Amino acid sequence: MDPLRTLWETFFDWESMREALPDMLTVGLPNTLILAVTAALLGSALGILLAVAGISRTRWLRWPARVYTDVFRGLPAAATILLIGVGLAPLGMQVWGPNPYPLGILALSLIASAYIGEIFRSGIQSVEATQLEAARALGFSWGEAMRMVIIPQGIRRILPAWVNQLIALIKDSSLVYFLGLLASQRELFRIGQDYAANTGNQSALLLAGLFYLALTVPLTHVVNWIDRRLRHGRPATGPAGDDPDDLDLALPGAAGGNQR
Amino acid sequence: MSTSVSLSLRDVHLAFGRNQVLRGVDLDVARGATACVIGPSGSGKSTLLRTVNRLLEPDRGDVLLDGRSVLGDDPDALRQRVGMVFQQFNLFPHMSVLRNITLALRRIRKLGEDEAVAVARTHLDRVGLAAKADARPAHLSGGQQQRVAIARALAMQPQVMLFDEATSALDPELVKGVLAVLADLSAQGMTMVVVTHEMGFAREVADQVAFMDAGVVLEAGEPGAVFEAARHPRLRRFLSQVL
């Protein structure tokens, strides 16, 4: 048999793809997005706390934040997802019943928060110390100064790195399949894998891959676009309003790719 | 303008680790008076200013406003009474000029939006920048940024103003405008401590000039006495280098 033809049929069997497409669109894509976006939001909320703890003057906040970050960045994502998904399953059983989905989100969030916390911390620390001093000199408390002056500036600078993290989460959400999801909870990868296993043909998995690329490649371009705008400022358009996306700031190497 | 108050520093000491930066500073600024602090780099001038509003806490000694120690006060409340202007302006770059001023008015002085904007515009007008209210700090010259920073501090109705080398980061042609604002403020009776390298300004505007070296005030007095009849050899040497 012609090897090229075999290869072609293994990966580009349109019939297999067409068969998998409805499930990909109606089940896989929404689930992947729910997993990634929810984990990004929870991970960011927790990440902010970690970042603030990480730069705190009390070691009782700094050290736990450090240990947390080291552990969750140091473990393979698959190990964390299994440990949390299986280890906390009895606890989850009592809270939301036999459903591994929330635990998957939790595990992804915990992993993401370790990375996002570091991103936020570097962003906050990149804001000149004199900004904090100026805010304190006006009479703002430390917390107010952080919230209104330092963090808003820091966040703008780390937007590209944050979007990179979202890309990583979209990919890592595929690992939740370990936890044994219900048919309606399957994400893109799992659906592709199921079809591939049933038919012995990899085309559905390739289709899943294309879905991931359709999500991640535009996001990488969003990162580049934000990065460019941060570096060069946006063209002057007359008096600037208070719109939050007026990103005319210098940038300390914010597009630090995903290091996982 | 709110009523200004007198300021006194008594035997103020401060060390960073083993580095003794202030070694017993005494300074009295009468209500409505302007004191200029001069001296070489590293003599502790900027550090001294920061002990007045307690951005740095003195290790020893006392800071008094209107004859009353402020070291037991809430630092945030104290800083509303003591305005400060920095060498690098330190405007908040992510906010418009107007919002740089209204932020503290709203959050700290608890003014409503309309009132805060009105107060901010009044102070911008006072420093000649009413037209720049909607601009971002990055679109202003250094001199303009510094005048906004002064307006931002004044809008809080401080009783004392501190200026930390407010013109040192400016191009020469921009210095004049900022010094004019300071002279105007001094004439209006604001109690001011001005750390500066502008000897002409100190001579013309100050009621008192204090020369600092190695963490102490070596000599202080009226500008005429300090500039024309310096007693301390260290001060005479300093003046011969800068004048």
Side-chain angles (χ1 to χ4, degrees):
Chain A
M1 200 178 189
D2 180 2
L4 270 182
R5 191 182 159 77
T6 312
L7 269 179
W8 182 262
E9 283 176 357
T10 304
F11 291 110
F12 298 98
D13 179 31
W14 304 122
E15 201 43 51
S16 298
M17 287 192 185
R18 197 172 303 136
E19 205 181 317
L21 187 63
D23 273 354
M24 292 262 179
L25 275 173
T26 57
V27 180
L29 184 62
N31 277 320
T32 291
L33 287 174
I34 289 171
L35 286 165
V37 171
T38 316
L41 294 178
L42 289 175
S44 297
L46 188 54
I48 286 219
L49 296 181
L50 279 171
V52 173
I55 57 172
S56 154
R57 268 175 288 188
T58 25
R59 69 174 77 123
W60 300 112
L61 287 174
R62 226 169 42 233
W63 288 0
R66 190 73 257 155
V67 170
Y68 178 96
T69 305
D70 285 349
V71 168
F72 282 94
R73 269 200 324 182
L75 285 173
T80 307
I81 289 169
L82 262 187
L83 281 170
I84 302 235
V86 177
L88 295 185
L91 201 67
M93 189 82 169
Q94 292 170 16
V95 184
W96 47 67
N99 183 357
Y101 201 76
L103 285 174
I105 289 179
L106 177 67
L108 287 173
S109 305
L110 294 180
I111 298 165
S113 68
Y115 287 91
I116 294 175
E118 284 294 276
I119 292 169
F120 282 158
R121 187 181 57 74
S122 69
I124 290 169
Q125 287 183 325
S126 77
V127 180
E128 298 71 20
T130 51
Q131 287 283 308
L132 181 62
E133 193 177 43
R136 297 304 307 273
L138 281 169
F140 287 109
S141 69
W142 187 85
E144 290 168 326
M146 289 304 277
R147 208 173 66 242
M148 279 177 280
V149 175
I150 306 300
I151 291 177
Q153 290 184 59
I155 289 208
R156 284 153 198 245
R157 299 181 190 192
I158 54 85
L159 266 179
W162 188 86
V163 177
N164 271 332
Q165 206 49 48
L166 184 59
I167 291 170
L169 268 171
I170 289 172
K171 295 185 290 178
D172 282 357
S173 66
S174 62
L175 295 169
V176 169
Y177 87 94
F178 290 150
L179 302 181
L181 299 169
L182 302 176
S184 62
Q185 295 174 330
R186 293 175 303 166
E187 31 62 53
L188 288 168
F189 170 73
R190 181 61 199 258
I191 288 176
Q193 201 208 18
D194 283 354
Y195 275 98
N198 289 341
T199 59
N201 182 292
Q202 302 303 310
S203 301
L205 204 49
L206 188 98
L207 181 65
L210 292 176
F211 267 96
Y212 282 110
L213 290 177
L215 292 174
T216 55
V217 171
L219 277 176
T220 58
H221 286 279
V222 169
V223 171
N224 295 342
W225 177 76
I226 296 175
D227 194 36
R228 251 197 325 276
R229 234 171 80 134
L230 283 165
R231 280 184 201 287
H232 304 302
R234 75 172 180 193
T237 52
D242 263 345
D243 54 324
D245 57 359
D246 184 15
L247 302 163
D248 48 1
L249 287 164
L251 182 78
N258 164 39
Q259 314 82 344
R260 195 160 301 160
Chain B
M1 187 188 301
S2 73
T3 338
S4 52
V5 298
S6 66
L7 163 70
S8 299
L9 299 171
R10 294 273 175 270
D11 195 32
V12 171
H13 284 73
L14 178 62
F16 297 126
R18 286 190 183 168
N19 183 12
Q20 192 74 43
V21 180
L22 301 178
R23 304 161 183 266
V25 176
D26 289 287
L27 186 70
D28 284 290
V29 187
R31 191 170 81 187
T34 296
C36 280
V37 181
I38 61 172
S41 298
S43 57
K45 307 182 297 290
S46 297
T47 305
L48 182 71
L49 277 194
R50 282 164 174 74
T51 61
V52 175
N53 61 358
R54 291 172 62 198
L55 285 175
L56 296 170
E57 295 284 351
D59 298 329
R60 217 167 83 203
D62 207 352
V63 178
L64 304 103
L65 290 187
D66 228 3
R68 204 181 63 78
S69 172
V70 296
L71 292 187
D73 294 359
D74 170 32
D76 296 333
L78 168 67
R79 290 176 196 138
Q80 294 173 45
R81 302 174 62 194
V82 183
M84 186 162 188
V85 172
F86 299 86
Q87 183 176 350
Q88 297 296 344
F89 335 130
N90 299 348
L91 295 180
F92 307 137
H94 58 304
M95 299 174 187
S96 69
V97 161
L98 189 71
R99 188 149 155 68
N100 258 277
I101 303 176
T102 57
L103 184 70
L105 290 176
R106 299 208 53 200
R107 301 287 178 151
I108 296 173
R109 277 185 60 197
K110 307 285 181 201
L111 302 186
E113 174 73 22
D114 292 347
E115 196 182 354
V117 168
V119 170
R121 287 195 187 279
T122 307
H123 282 89
L124 275 178
D125 195 32
R126 193 169 160 189
V127 296
L129 290 173
K132 298 290 184 183
D134 295 322
R136 293 275 163 155
H139 297 146
L140 268 51
S141 75
Q144 290 172 330
Q145 289 190 49
Q146 192 59 296
R147 276 144 65 198
V148 172
I150 293 171
R152 180 172 74 175
L154 289 179
M156 298 300 286
Q157 299 188 325
Q159 299 170 326
V160 174
M161 280 291 292
L162 311 174
F163 293 88
D164 185 14
E165 301 198 19
T167 58
S168 296
L170 298 179
D171 292 337
E173 72 271 21
L174 303 175
V175 169
K176 225 184 212 174
V178 172
L179 291 182
V181 172
L182 263 65
D184 185 38
L185 197 56
S186 170
Q188 288 172 27
M190 172 64 81
T191 308
M192 296 169 35
V193 183
V194 183
V195 168
T196 186
H197 293 296
E198 297 288 336
M199 298 302 150
F201 173 83
R203 196 196 297 255
E204 280 170 34
V205 177
D207 300 292
Q208 181 192 178
V209 175
F211 172 67
M212 272 189 84
D213 188 40
V216 290
V217 174
L218 274 188
E219 193 167 336
E222 290 183 2
V226 169
F227 287 112
E228 319 303 341
R231 282 164 312 179
H232 206 286
R234 184 73 192 83
L235 171 56
R236 285 207 292 270
R237 202 162 66 239
F238 175 75
L239 291 175
S240 75
Q241 283 162 352
V242 297
L243 288 181

